[in-house]
Amino acid sequence: LDRGLLMSQAIDQWQSRGIWIVSRADATYPRRLKAKLKQQAPPIIFGCGEPNLLEQGGLGIVGSRKVDDAISEFVENAARLASNSGYSVVSGGARGVDQIAMSTALDVEGTVVGALAENLNKAVVASNYREAIKSHSMVLISAVDPNAGFSVGNAMARNKIIYALSDAGLVANADYEKGGTWTGAIEQIKRFKCCPIYVRISTHTPKGNQAIIDRG
């Protein structure tokens, strides 16, 4: 309470960039997060863009930052198919699979939900997202301070939000027993079970992908 003036200044700064704020006590808080995550739903959500997209579900596409041509093509095809079928693409905004999925969906005039773990304040003014936000085809949200930089903990916590906002999850590639993609998928299988999870298989299925399949 003693920091009320500082808080009002921060809110003014966020609102000047179009960032809105909702708490779990607000009627406008995303219902999907409450229903699927219950007490684990973030107490505060920062967002920018069309909030109604948060209630419409979609295909959650996740994977690691390291991608090759085969993975890139797979992700592009999945994002394009989802968009052309009328489903939003839900992802995390990180380099690699996340950004490929989101940018592909926007290229074919689909809708995108991005659950970010860092730098929402910068993302909302990025040239590749600005027009999509203005045209109501994209919403970006974060459960951390919009100015917060990268942290492993925030990235891990963001995974459950992606799955909670999706009708199904699609793992393009995952490192074996490490990394956010692996942790998020295993957490869903064992604990939250927000949605079905599908995993890419190929002629040479990565060890991490096969291990997720083996775990259910």
Side-chain angles (χ1 to χ4, degrees), residues 95-176:
R95 291 194 310 274
V97 166
D98 293 12
Q99 289 188 1
I100 293 170
M102 293 166 67
S103 61
T104 300
L106 294 178
D107 287 344
V108 296
E109 299 183 350
T111 53
V112 170
V113 176
L116 310 186
E118 59 183 301
N119 293 320
L120 176 65
N121 211 22
K122 292 182 180 179
V124 299
V125 294
S127 58
N128 54 329
Y129 293 154
R130 192 165 53 239
E131 290 304 316
I133 291 172
K134 286 171 62 178
S135 65
H136 305 288
S137 58
M138 184 180 208
V139 60
L140 298 175
I141 65 168
S142 179
V144 299
D145 185 317
N147 294 315
F150 177 79
S151 86
V152 173
N154 290 341
M156 295 293 186
R158 174 267 317 274
N159 293 323
K160 62 180 178 288
I161 297 175
I162 295 173
Y163 288 111
L165 295 174
S166 303
D167 296 314
L170 178 62
V171 177
N173 63 321
D175 295 327
Y176 179 65

Side-chain angles (χ1 to χ4, degrees), residues 57-108:
L59 178 64
I61 303 178
V62 298
S64 72
R65 296 169 184 255
K66 296 178 182 179
V67 297
D68 57 22
D69 291 343
I71 295 171
S72 295
E73 183 179 3
F74 173 84
V75 172
E76 288 171 359
N77 288 338
R80 193 177 296 113
L81 180 59
S83 298
N84 291 338
S85 301
Y87 294 98
S88 292
V89 166
V90 186
S91 199
R95 291 194 310 274
V97 166
D98 293 12
Q99 289 188 1
I100 293 170
M102 293 166 67
S103 61
T104 300
L106 294 178
D107 287 344
V108 296

Side-chain angles (χ1 to χ4, degrees), residues 16 28-29 33 44 90 97 113 117 138 140 184 186 193 203 205:
S16 71
T28 53
Y29 188 89
L33 293 182
I44 293 175
V90 186
V97 166
V113 176
M138 184 180 208
L140 298 175
I186 297 301
K193 302 177 181 178
T203 307
T205 301

Side-chain angles (χ1 to χ4, degrees), residues 13-14 28 36-37 39 42 51-52 54 57 60-61 70 95 117 135 137 141 153 161 175 177 179 189 191-192 195 201:
Q13 180 193 41
W14 296 330
T28 53
K36 294 192 176 185
L37 299 178
Q39 282 74 28
N52 289 330
L54 299 173
I61 303 178
R95 291 194 310 274
S135 65
S137 58
I141 65 168
I161 297 175
D175 295 327
E177 293 190 344
I189 293 168
R191 183 181 179 190
F192 291 113
C195 65
I201 59 173

